[in-house]
Amino acid sequence: MAVTASMVKELREMTGAGMMDCKKALSATDGDFDKAIEFLREKGLATAEKKAGRIAAEGLVATTIKDGDKVAAIVEVNAETDFVAKNEVFRTFVKEVVEQAADTDAADIDAFKAEKWALDTSMTVDEKLAAMIAKIGENMNIRRFEKIVSEDGIVVSYIHAAGKIGVLVEAKTESNDERVKEALKNVAMQVAALNPKYVSTDDVPEEYKEHEKEILIAQAKNDPKNANKPENIIEKMITGRLAKELKEICLLEQEYVKAENKETVAKYLEMVSKEVGTPVELKRFVRFETGEGL
């Protein structure tokens, strides 16, 4: 397959690697972008994640909390332009969608769209969406939602950048103290800023660890500095690098951004637990970013 200049430019935007490296990667993988990204990662020329600049879709993320902080919902509704995303009619519609999501029993987005619109049961959610598209004159989509019902704790929410990012955080706790809510809000802000993938290293699938280890092995072998190092030393290096990488993607092991003494999020929650006299155990988080993965 012929590698075009536009393909090279696109891969460069996705990975941050140099033009010639991108061209070489595409040539070696017959123009397969996913394989080309892996190729660049193995050479140590690209990060695991595509750059945020690749996100193209506009829209809004909204959250709601109800029933004494026990029930929460988060939704992403997309629009074609940022102009519409800032429109008050659109924003009101998104608020109505998230309120419906907090009351739904739907298991997925298709079932959610098929249920009756709570504010006018003569139509479904999908039909209400179609009516909004006709009214605003721009294509829109209720892309995803998630609902949390906490049976043994509370849920807090956080909205960042005027609805570009939304976060829900659930913790198991017997306390409804304002200090606990403030602490969980701080954790939610950390989730928004640093985008962890898992709560702790215990939650990381073995397949993910093996895949990342293979990448690190390839990187080590491609580094001339390691040419004369014994296998056991390289193995220790890789183990250390993998542990460091996992800490960066696991929330409890991340360095708490507001800490002055480089404590982890886990240590921060331990301190809060002692303060309020009862455990505050992080159970899960949900993070939606507008246009993510599109």
Side-chain angles (χ1 to χ4, degrees), residues 40-287:
L40 290 168
R41 288 193 65 207
E42 286 174 4
K43 300 293 183 188
L45 300 169
T47 57
E49 298 296 321
K50 295 178 182 179
K51 286 195 170 181
R54 292 294 305 155
I55 295 169
E58 297 298 338
L60 200 62
V61 175
T63 60
T64 190
I65 304 279
K66 57 195 297 184
D67 297 349
D69 304 316
K70 295 284 186 185
V71 176
I74 183 169
V75 299
E76 178 188 355
V77 183
N78 297 124
E80 286 182 58
T81 64
D82 188 47
F83 178 76
V84 163
K86 291 175 179 173
N87 179 297
E88 201 50 48
V89 176
F90 177 80
R91 298 182 81 87
T92 299
F93 173 62
V94 177
K95 285 177 189 171
E96 292 168 354
V97 172
V98 78
E99 290 302 327
Q100 175 132 353
D103 293 328
T104 192
D105 292 321
D108 56 45
I109 194 67
D110 290 333
F112 179 70
K113 287 180 179 179
E115 71 182 25
K116 294 292 184 185
W117 179 243
L119 297 174
D120 180 358
T121 55
S122 69
M123 63 173 75
T124 64
V125 172
D126 210 23
E127 286 166 345
K128 173 63 179 178
L129 174 63
M132 291 301 297
I133 291 169
K135 182 175 183 178
I136 289 176
E138 183 171 301
N139 192 30
M140 292 158 47
N141 183 39
I142 302 171
R143 184 185 175 203
R144 53 182 171 163
F145 78 95
E146 193 150 339
K147 177 181 176 178
I148 293 178
V149 179
S150 184
E151 295 175 358
D152 53 9
I154 59 171
V155 191
V156 301
S157 71
Y158 172 68
I159 291 291
H160 180 70
K164 289 294 181 187
I165 297 172
V167 177
L168 297 179
V169 170
E170 180 191 6
K172 178 181 178 181
T173 180
E174 291 177 4
S175 172
N176 207 22
D177 191 297
E178 285 302 317
R179 288 172 293 178
V180 173
K181 291 180 188 176
E182 184 186 351
L184 294 178
K185 184 82 77 174
N186 287 336
V187 172
M189 289 169 69
Q190 171 123 357
V191 172
L194 297 187
N195 195 13
K197 305 298 180 196
Y198 304 95
V199 171
S200 75
T201 47
D202 294 337
D203 301 321
V204 182
E206 283 305 316
E207 314 88 80
Y208 180 92
K209 292 178 186 175
E210 284 305 312
H211 178 70
E212 290 305 303
K213 191 174 179 181
E214 284 170 16
I215 297 286
L216 290 169
I217 289 169
Q219 285 177 1
K221 286 180 177 175
N222 281 310
D223 189 341
K225 293 197 293 259
N226 298 327
N228 299 316
K229 286 180 183 170
E231 285 292 323
N232 65 319
I233 298 296
I234 290 175
E235 182 68 32
K236 280 182 183 175
M237 278 170 45
I238 288 163
T239 302
R241 285 177 187 172
L242 182 62
K244 183 174 181 288
E245 185 181 313
L246 292 179
K247 281 183 181 178
E248 288 171 0
I249 62 166
C250 296
L251 179 56
L252 287 174
E253 280 84 28
Q254 283 182 346
E255 188 177 306
Y256 176 47
V257 290
K258 285 191 171 183
E260 293 177 4
N261 57 356
K262 294 191 174 182
E263 69 186 4
T264 62
V265 172
K267 288 289 183 189
Y268 169 61
L269 290 177
E270 276 178 30
M271 182 191 74
V272 174
S273 299
K274 284 177 186 171
E275 248 181 63
V276 298
T278 188
V280 180
E281 180 190 331
L282 196 67
K283 288 183 74 175
R284 62 173 155 162
F285 64 86
V286 181
R287 181 188 187 275

Side-chain angles (χ1 to χ4, degrees), residues 2-49:
V3 176
T4 65
S6 63
M7 288 167 68
V8 174
K9 182 173 180 286
E10 187 174 349
L11 185 61
R12 178 180 167 82
E13 287 172 357
M14 290 166 78
T15 63
M19 296 290 271
M20 291 308 294
D21 291 319
C22 288
K23 185 176 181 181
K24 192 184 295 181
L26 286 164
S27 298
T29 58
D30 201 29
D32 186 312
F33 275 81
D34 289 335
K35 287 179 182 174
I37 291 167
E38 289 294 289
F39 178 92
L40 290 168
R41 288 193 65 207
E42 286 174 4
K43 300 293 183 188
L45 300 169
T47 57
E49 298 296 321

